[in-house]
Amino acid sequence: MNPKISVIFPVGNREAYLKEAVESVLGQSFTEFELLIIEDGLSSQVASIITCYRDERIKIIKFPMNMGISAARNAGLLTATAPYIALMDSDDIALTDRFQKQYAWMESHPEVTVCGSNFITMFNDENRMPMRYPESDGIIKSRFLIVDSAILNPTAMIRTDFVRKSGLQYDANFPRDHDHRFYVEIMRNGGSFYNLQEELLLYRRHDGNATRSRSGVDIEKTKVREILIPLFFPELTGEEARVLLKGLCENVRMTMIEACFCLVVMTKAMRESRIFTGEDRDELRKILRFYYESLVKMVNGVSKNVHKC
């Protein structure tokens, strides 16, 4: 069989949702794929769930010890033999026509590097919320600046040749935000993005999600923004970029002088009209305007307190 899609499916020691996730892939209406299950230092109990499947499309890659999610995904990138890579997590559910619809879109739109989709967030079996992500390339790229509303990793389908030619890998220095970092590198290498405007995945939120573990996440988000700011706003000086970065971070304390300087820098950034990486400048202005207005409220609040004293 010459698969048309390589499904990268890392598995850690979490068995609660594994069977449902595997079967959602094996039950796809599009059948011409290989399922690359990367066993990342599994216990015998979790490994036994995987070995019970007898499907020739399954290929198992075993790590003798836990190497981390980035290493697992990179093993999948290196092993993939199909022209498209589909990403999947071991606690989510791919809806039946996900691969069929994404494959058809990618085949008819050769200019698109990454195709994601909308999805449904599951907080528990009864509580579900449809989530809509931006459709166009420029808005998706601009949304990388706010991290969490651009491309959902387990909805993504990516062109394998683009990854190989660009020498892309997941960065192990970003264990919680590795996907965000990866997509920024795709953007830097000239890639384009699209989100199908229909729900193709049930995305499970629970205490075990990497992105739910807040310690370290904000640090990694800040590091990604540190890469993005000179890409989107190359006219800023080093000091201006540093202050803007601080202004975009949540729960970061600023002095009154820093806050006022940051407002000046944000105004300068919002005036930029040139396009550098395919970003949507209007969307970037909306994002900056949100942080600008929040900072103005903070400055005004401090000023009122000073006058009261």
Side-chain angles (χ1 to χ4, degrees):
M1 180 187 73
N2 294 318
K4 294 179 179 177
I5 300 172
S6 295
V7 185
I8 297 179
F9 192 104
V11 179
N13 278 314
R14 188 169 58 212
E15 62 180 294
Y17 312 111
L18 178 57
K19 186 175 180 181
E20 197 172 10
V22 171
E23 291 178 0
S24 77
V25 174
L26 297 179
Q28 288 289 300
S29 58
F30 185 97
T31 60
E32 297 176 74
F33 63 83
E34 60 179 359
L35 175 55
L36 306 177
I37 297 180
I38 301 95
E39 296 186 358
D40 192 13
L42 299 187
S43 67
S44 57
Q45 185 174 359
V46 176
S48 66
I49 296 175
I50 296 170
T51 55
C52 74
Y53 292 101
R54 297 289 184 265
D55 192 309
E56 64 180 9
R57 296 172 296 180
I58 295 177
K59 297 180 181 178
I60 297 176
I61 303 167
K62 293 186 178 182
F63 288 176
M65 63 185 71
N66 183 271
M67 301 292 290
I69 186 65
S70 294
R73 292 202 195 280
N74 286 335
L77 293 179
L78 291 171
T79 307
T81 64
Y84 297 106
I85 291 168
L87 301 178
M88 185 69 187
D89 288 340
S90 62
D91 50 1
D92 298 325
I93 299 171
L95 298 185
T96 306
D97 293 330
R98 177 197 162 187
F99 293 169
Q100 179 66 55
K101 291 181 177 181
Q102 289 185 299
Y103 179 82
W105 179 266
M106 295 291 271
E107 284 288 282
S108 61
H109 295 82
E111 75 282 2
V112 174
T113 310
V114 181
C115 177
S117 76
N118 292 340
F119 56 96
I120 298 172
T121 298
M122 297 191 300
F123 298 96
N124 52 52
D125 289 338
E126 290 79 30
N127 189 2
R128 300 184 178 190
M129 180 183 297
M131 302 295 292
R132 183 174 182 178
Y133 270 19
E135 183 176 10
S136 69
D137 177 57
I139 294 180
I140 291 169
K141 288 174 176 175
S142 300
R143 291 278 185 93
F144 288 148
L145 196 62
I146 53 176
V147 183
D148 293 325
S149 58
I151 291 276
L152 183 72
N153 200 53
T155 70
M157 184 173 287
I158 308 170
R159 295 189 188 275
T160 307
D161 62 347
F162 184 93
V163 173
R164 299 266 168 81
K165 289 176 182 177
S166 303
L168 298 179
Q169 287 191 321
Y170 287 90
D171 191 337
N173 294 313
F174 292 77
R176 297 173 181 83
D177 208 22
H178 61 284
D179 49 347
H180 184 206
R181 178 76 177 88
F182 186 68
Y183 294 132
V184 169
E185 285 306 303
I186 289 177
M187 181 182 73
R188 290 177 71 173
N189 281 273
S192 62
F193 301 82
Y194 184 82
N195 278 318
L196 292 173
Q197 294 301 290
E198 55 185 306
E199 294 91 3
L200 298 180
L201 183 90
L202 300 182
Y203 176 62
R204 203 183 300 271
R205 295 301 299 263
H206 53 83
D207 291 339
N209 287 128
T211 50
R212 292 289 295 275
S213 305
R214 299 309 306 176
S215 61
V217 175
D218 290 339
I219 293 174
E220 292 178 21
K221 287 181 178 181
T222 300
K223 289 180 179 179
V224 174
R225 286 184 176 125
E226 194 171 7
I227 296 167
L228 286 169
I229 286 174
L231 292 177
F232 290 157
F233 311 107
E235 77 284 0
L236 298 182
T237 67
E239 181 61 16
E240 288 172 336
R242 183 194 69 79
V243 172
L244 177 59
L245 176 64
K246 199 168 184 179
L248 295 176
C249 295
E250 300 173 6
N251 303 318
V252 173
R253 301 183 67 177
M254 302 179 74
T255 66
M256 180 64 80
I257 293 175
E258 281 182 317
C260 292
F261 182 38
C262 189
L263 291 174
V264 173
V265 173
M266 286 181 175
T267 300
K268 178 180 178 179
M270 284 188 283
R271 288 174 179 162
E272 178 60 71
S273 60
R274 292 172 294 173
I275 297 172
F276 301 100
T277 59
E279 72 280 2
D280 185 297
R281 299 310 299 191
D282 288 336
E283 184 68 17
L284 279 178
R285 290 187 194 98
K286 289 179 184 177
I287 293 168
L288 291 176
R289 175 62 62 182
F290 171 81
Y291 287 98
Y292 181 94
E293 291 175 354
S294 297
L295 201 54
V296 167
K297 290 179 182 178
M298 186 272 286
V299 170
N300 289 339
V302 172
S303 298
K304 288 179 181 178
N305 289 334
V306 169
H307 288 311
K308 287 180 181 179
C309 294

